Amino acid sequence: MNKDNKFLIGFFDDDEVLLKAISFVREKGIKIHEVYSPFPVHGIENALGYKRSRISIAAFCFGFLGTCLALTMMIGMMTIDWPMIIGGKDFLPFPTFIPVIFEMTVLLSAFGMVGTFLVVSDLKPWGNPVQFDLRSTDDKHVMAIELNKNSLSKDKILGILKSSGASETNEKNINK
Amino acid sequence: MHVESKLREPLITGGKNLHDISRDVSRRVEEKPSLSWFAALSVSLLMLSVGGYAVYRTLWDGIGMWGLNKTIGWAWDITNFVWWVGIGHAGTLISAILLLFRQRWRMSINRAAEAMTIFAVICAAMFPMLHMGRLWVGFFWALPLPNTYGSLWVNFASPLLWDVFAISTYFSVSLVFWYIGLIPDFATIRDRAKLSGKKVSAYIYGVLSLGWDGAAKTWSRYETVALVLAALATPLVLSVHSIVSMDFATSVIPGWHTTIFPPYFVAGAIFSGFAMVLTLLIITRKVYKLEDYITIRHLELMNIIIIVTGSIVGIAYITELFMAWYSGVEYEQYAFYNRVTGPYWWAYASMMTCNVISPQLFWFKRIRTNIAATFIISIIVNIGMWFERFVIIVTSLHRDYLPSSWAMFYPTFYDVGMYLFSFGFFFTAYLLFSKYFPVINMHEMKSILKPTGDKIKTK
């Protein structure tokens, strides 16, 4: 479909300058494609207008599934399938089920959440990420702006990037 | 956005910038392994092979090769199991609990500590598995699988089974936590390899980094994942050693049947875990020249945790003695009287000296900021913690209700060999980790460094 899109790239050295620049650039009506950072910048999701991640909901659902599975397994085995008297306890000794319920809840919650994270973020061993600049995992924050999606001209956007505090600007054709 | 206090000392010294962090940490992965690294690896592999012989004989001839007898059915092996699991508590404690408490000094040490946790848990799991004798069938008996052995499902009322669930959950969640933290750092190494034209490294670390690109959207999810994982791992850390302690506490053996066991074991686990982290990191920081990242301040903070947990452990020892006397149960009283003054008095005395007295030296600032002293005390603490488990397990068993069955435990070569095997595995794994993986969490270090704040630091 749309291949070889032209991107304008701004480099930032400092995360505070970056945060101000994001607000500045967005106020000028420029759509930012994405910002790539070597470390998590606090408040960047607000500056870019991203919604809060709902991944913790996935964690809760998987955790709840773990609780249910643990209960079903233990009641099925110890109470229904083959009830035995152990230490004079009930056939449904709920207090002794608590440790396994807890562990299964944590196990499924953690694995389910991390699995969800890998899927939604498209992280996979054979993944081939779009990288605007290799220094974005080292010491540069990279702001990418897609030229086609913005009405402003190239020079104008580059000028805005410069005045927002970018230490360096660049343009790159990326085959999406 | 991070606020940098002018009063608080910076956690990273040496006026580093972001690129310095990538360089200093990745360099260790990129350069050729040194001769001393090969020498250390050879020693570990030697330990692994000598111990491997003990494991082989144990598997081939059975656990009769060990020094266990009818009275003392648990001794050296379960001591090692509890000892290793205890050591395996520091990593996730550092990365999970200290993350929730926003203790930023954890960032220099969490990667290595988590790796240590994972290897220690593998070492620990080895002992009960080999104690099953026929590992290849015993392994399946421990899991709730359909079978044709008769009535039997596993017994969910048994703390030994809780242990299976607790330790396997702890291991796998710690592994995931560790790996999630590694992904962005693998991406840094991948991109450095791409820039310097190393295709093989770029490919390998590219696969390991799962195609990480560092987009703001991904980072935002990543931070949520890390926070929720920390919240899940926090009760998990506390649950694991609590459940290990219930292996003993739910029994009716005098000396084991104590309600203070769970908190007492958890404190002891953190105590020994931090001691092992110190032992390893003091060497790692020296060899890899990471003194600017793991500073004296970091060592001091870990020593403070050692004083706190060591004192909790000391109080627990005294509480045990008091409760034995106060309970009025003569069996309980005898178990503790025998523990302190019986034939194993030397084990009790070593435990008390190493665990209760030696960490108190850290009250002196000169001692807790001295690297050599810290290193020695960290080893003493781990010796003491091994004796603690030995004392609890063997002295409670060796004189039971019937004096005609009283016995002593004498380890054989195979008991010691198994222990050697676990050390061989632990050091081999740690050496491989420290060479091929970034030993310091680069992206977290970068997040606490302020490039424009250098002026404040150098003032």
Side-chain angles (χ1 to χ4, degrees):
Chain A
M1 294 202 328
N2 53 342
K3 48 188 169 183
D4 267 17
N5 290 358
K6 181 159 265 180
F7 283 90
L8 302 176
I9 305 163
F11 295 82
F12 297 86
D13 296 334
D14 189 305
D15 45 341
E16 271 175 47
V17 177
L18 171 76
L19 283 178
K20 282 181 196 134
I22 292 172
S23 313
F24 180 75
V25 168
R26 289 186 77 211
E27 271 166 24
K28 299 274 174 188
I30 298 173
K31 269 192 198 156
I32 298 174
H33 171 67
E34 183 56 291
V35 177
Y36 300 87
S37 303
F39 58 85
V41 178
H42 289 278
I44 198 168
E45 56 273 33
N46 296 337
L48 284 167
Y50 291 157
K51 280 189 199 126
R52 200 167 158 252
S53 167
R54 287 167 300 169
I55 217 149
S56 41
I57 300 171
F60 177 80
C61 295
F62 279 105
F64 186 68
L65 180 71
T67 313
C68 296
L69 270 178
L71 265 174
T72 314
M73 173 176 75
M74 288 188 285
I75 294 173
M77 290 175 185
M78 298 259 301
T79 312
I80 298 166
D81 188 44
W82 207 293
M84 280 203 296
I85 298 170
I86 292 163
K89 293 191 188 87
D90 215 34
F91 288 136
L92 205 160
F94 184 74
T96 65
F97 287 174
I98 291 171
V100 174
I101 292 176
F102 170 74
E103 302 298 336
M104 292 271 286
T105 306
V106 169
L107 184 72
L108 264 80
S109 177
F111 271 75
M113 175 181 61
V114 170
T116 313
F117 167 66
L118 296 183
V119 170
V120 295
S121 306
D122 198 27
L123 292 171
K124 48 187 187 274
W126 58 92
N128 196 11
V130 175
Q131 283 180 292
F132 290 92
D133 194 281
L134 293 177
R135 288 173 294 164
S136 70
T137 56
D138 181 11
D139 58 350
K140 299 275 186 227
H141 300 276
V142 171
M143 186 195 287
I145 296 165
E146 190 169 357
L147 193 58
N148 289 346
K149 293 213 174 136
N150 283 290
S151 46
L152 291 172
S153 74
K154 188 180 110 184
D155 295 332
K156 221 165 190 177
I157 295 177
L158 284 177
I160 290 170
L161 271 177
K162 280 252 168 63
S163 59
S164 73
S167 59
E168 196 183 325
T169 52
N170 200 350
E171 52 188 279
K172 201 166 185 178
N173 289 328
I174 290 280
N175 191 339
K176 272 206 296 191
Chain B
M1 196 178 293
H2 43 226
V3 179
E4 184 155 299
S5 163
K6 286 178 191 173
L7 298 173
R8 215 174 263 178
E9 283 173 36
L11 288 165
I12 310 171
T13 55
K16 303 282 180 189
N17 64 30
L18 296 174
H19 181 69
D20 291 339
I21 296 178
S22 307
R23 189 199 56 212
D24 290 350
V25 179
S26 308
R27 193 167 58 194
R28 303 299 158 196
V29 179
E30 289 155 0
E31 69 193 7
K32 282 219 168 81
S34 64
L35 259 174
S36 55
W37 184 82
F38 276 114
L41 189 69
S42 315
V43 175
S44 319
L45 289 173
L46 185 73
M47 282 159 84
L48 196 67
S49 42
V50 173
Y53 176 70
V55 173
Y56 157 73
R57 288 296 297 273
T58 299
L59 284 171
W60 192 255
D61 296 319
I63 54 168
M65 301 303 286
W66 299 352
L68 301 178
N69 52 46
K70 271 188 188 166
T71 310
I72 306 165
W74 275 3
W76 195 289
D77 54 323
I78 302 299
T79 303
N80 293 343
F81 159 69
V82 182
W83 189 72
W84 277 120
V85 171
I87 287 174
H89 272 61
T92 308
L93 180 105
I94 290 170
S95 37
I97 298 184
L98 298 185
L99 186 142
L100 293 184
F101 283 116
R102 301 281 177 216
Q103 293 295 309
R104 290 186 160 164
W105 59 272
R106 94 196 131 80
M107 291 171 176
S108 307
I109 54 172
N110 60 5
R111 172 69 46 73
E114 280 174 56
M116 183 207 75
T117 288
I118 289 158
F119 307 142
V121 173
I122 297 174
C123 289
M126 200 181 89
F127 289 96
M129 278 162 82
L130 285 166
H131 200 166
M132 287 191 235
R134 285 179 285 161
L135 175 67
W136 49 99
V137 281
F139 185 67
F140 293 101
W141 292 343
L143 300 173
L145 298 170
N147 60 66
T148 52
Y149 298 122
S151 68
L152 296 172
W153 289 109
V154 287
N155 176 12
F156 285 104
S158 161
L160 295 177
L161 187 70
W162 304 344
D163 238 1
V164 172
F165 277 85
I167 290 175
S168 44
T169 302
Y170 182 60
F171 172 72
S172 40
V173 172
S174 300
L175 189 68
V176 166
F177 203 176
W178 182 59
Y179 197 81
I180 284 287
L182 276 165
I183 293 173
D185 287 359
F186 282 144
T188 303
I189 299 179
R190 171 197 69 197
D191 291 346
R192 282 173 61 88
K194 275 187 190 169
L195 282 171
S196 56
K198 291 183 197 154
K199 283 202 174 124
V200 180
S201 303
Y203 178 75
I204 293 171
Y205 288 102
V207 169
L208 287 172
S209 68
L210 307 180
W212 177 267
D213 59 1
K217 186 96 202 165
T218 317
W219 272 124
S220 146
R221 292 191 190 113
Y222 180 92
E223 290 237 280
T224 314
V225 167
L227 191 66
V228 177
L229 270 181
L232 288 170
T234 300
L236 186 64
V237 180
L238 302 180
S239 83
V240 175
H241 227 59
S242 301
I243 290 176
V244 169
S245 80
M246 287 174 198
D247 290 349
F248 304 97
T250 58
S251 74
V252 290
I253 307 284
W256 287 3
H257 191 66
T258 325
T259 45
I260 64 162
F261 260 24
Y264 155 28
F265 268 49
V266 169
I270 296 165
F271 182 53
S272 65
F274 269 85
M276 188 58 108
V277 172
L278 278 169
T279 312
L280 292 176
L281 283 183
I282 286 173
I283 299 174
T284 309
R285 80 191 272 278
K286 180 88 194 149
V287 173
Y288 284 177
K289 298 190 176 62
L290 295 170
E291 283 97 340
D292 284 331
Y293 301 98
I294 304 166
T295 59
I296 300 286
R297 174 104 185 106
H298 288 95
L299 301 182
E300 187 185 356
L301 287 164
M302 283 194 269
N303 285 338
I304 291 171
I305 291 191
I306 287 194
I307 308 180
V308 173
T309 49
S311 305
I312 296 174
V313 167
I315 290 168
Y317 294 159
I318 295 161
T319 310
E320 269 189 327
L321 293 179
F322 172 77
M323 288 312 292
W325 166 74
Y326 188 67
S327 70
V329 181
E330 56 185 342
Y331 298 109
E332 198 72 32
Q333 287 171 346
Y334 180 72
F336 283 91
Y337 177 74
N338 179 50
R339 189 176 280 187
V340 183
T341 62
Y344 285 112
W345 66 269
W346 48 271
Y348 191 81
S350 322
M351 166 187 111
M352 276 294 194
T353 323
C354 299
N355 289 353
V356 184
I357 299 167
S358 76
Q360 301 304 324
L361 293 172
F362 284 145
W363 285 105
F364 300 102
K365 193 173 172 87
R366 276 187 60 188
I367 296 180
R368 67 170 185 267
T369 51
N370 181 308
I371 295 174
T374 303
F375 186 71
I376 293 167
I377 293 176
S378 75
I379 291 175
I380 291 176
V381 163
N382 264 319
I383 295 172
M385 284 309 288
W386 192 88
F387 273 113
E388 180 202 295
R389 278 62 179 253
F390 184 81
V391 163
I392 291 172
I393 293 168
V394 174
T395 66
S396 305
L397 288 175
H398 87 121
R399 288 191 167 172
D400 64 5
Y401 299 101
L402 200 62
S404 63
S405 63
W406 287 6
M408 293 292 284
F409 169 76
Y410 299 103
T412 63
F413 164 76
Y414 301 96
D415 282 298
V416 185
M418 293 266 300
Y419 192 39
L420 200 65
F421 181 79
S422 63
F423 267 109
F425 172 81
F426 183 75
F427 288 130
T428 308
Y430 188 80
L431 282 168
L432 290 173
F433 155 75
S434 62
K435 176 66 197 75
Y436 294 106
F437 283 21
V439 284
I440 285 186
N441 196 327
M442 289 188 267
H443 68 270
E444 286 199 330
M445 295 304 284
K446 286 174 189 169
S447 74
I448 54 170
L449 190 80
K450 194 159 160 48
T452 48
D454 280 343
K455 286 174 205 108
I456 300 169
K457 274 178 209 154
T458 46
K459 235 180 206 172

